[in-house]
Amino acid sequence: MSDRFANFARMTNYAHAECMHEQYPPDMGHIIQIRDVDDDDYRGLTAKAAAEGLSLTAYLKREMHQLAQMPTMAEWIQRATDRDWGVSGADLEEVLREMDEEDEL
């Protein structure tokens, strides 16, 4: 592909995106497009959506909302370590060491 054609294609895609963006009201939200979805995954998601009486779009929107609300592993670990569990780290180490010793017998 020539540089000239590549630049034209890039400009056309940008112009199309800008045009599509202006077509929707500002409070509509965002559009997410996922390409190259595996056929089995697509069929499975479609079946799950249908089983719940939802369109695939409504089902995926709900699932994405739940996913977005979940803490990352780093956030989860931080919350767990910040929490006062009422047991000291030294006490836990002692119990784990005793358990290891019992397993060795």
Side-chain angles (χ1 to χ4, degrees):
M1 178 183 325
S2 73
D3 288 339
R4 195 167 146 195
F5 180 75
N7 287 337
F8 175 76
R10 202 172 10 262
M11 290 172 56
T12 303
N13 286 339
Y14 177 77
H16 177 73
E18 285 297 309
C19 174
M20 294 301 292
H21 179 71
E22 291 175 8
Q23 192 173 10
Y24 299 104
D27 59 342
M28 182 180 156
H30 299 278
I31 296 172
I32 297 175
Q33 182 179 38
I34 302 173
R35 297 179 183 195
D36 301 323
V37 175
D38 182 74
D39 288 341
D40 290 337
D41 293 341
Y42 178 78
R43 283 191 292 275
L45 290 167
T46 303
K48 287 181 179 187
E52 296 190 33
L54 297 171
S55 67
L56 181 57
T57 299
Y59 178 79
L60 291 174
K61 185 176 177 183
R62 185 192 70 194
E63 293 298 309
M64 283 194 311
H65 178 72
Q66 290 174 355
L67 182 62
Q69 301 308 308
M70 291 175 54
T72 65
M73 185 57 72
E75 291 168 337
W76 187 87
I77 290 170
Q78 187 65 48
R79 289 180 196 173
T81 55
D82 288 348
R83 187 173 179 182
D84 179 17
W85 294 95
V87 179
S88 72
D91 289 342
L92 287 174
E93 288 177 13
E94 183 180 339
V95 169
L96 291 172
R97 195 173 10 265
E98 289 173 5
M99 292 172 65
D100 285 342
E101 290 171 2
E102 288 175 8
D103 287 344
E104 291 176 1
L105 297 177

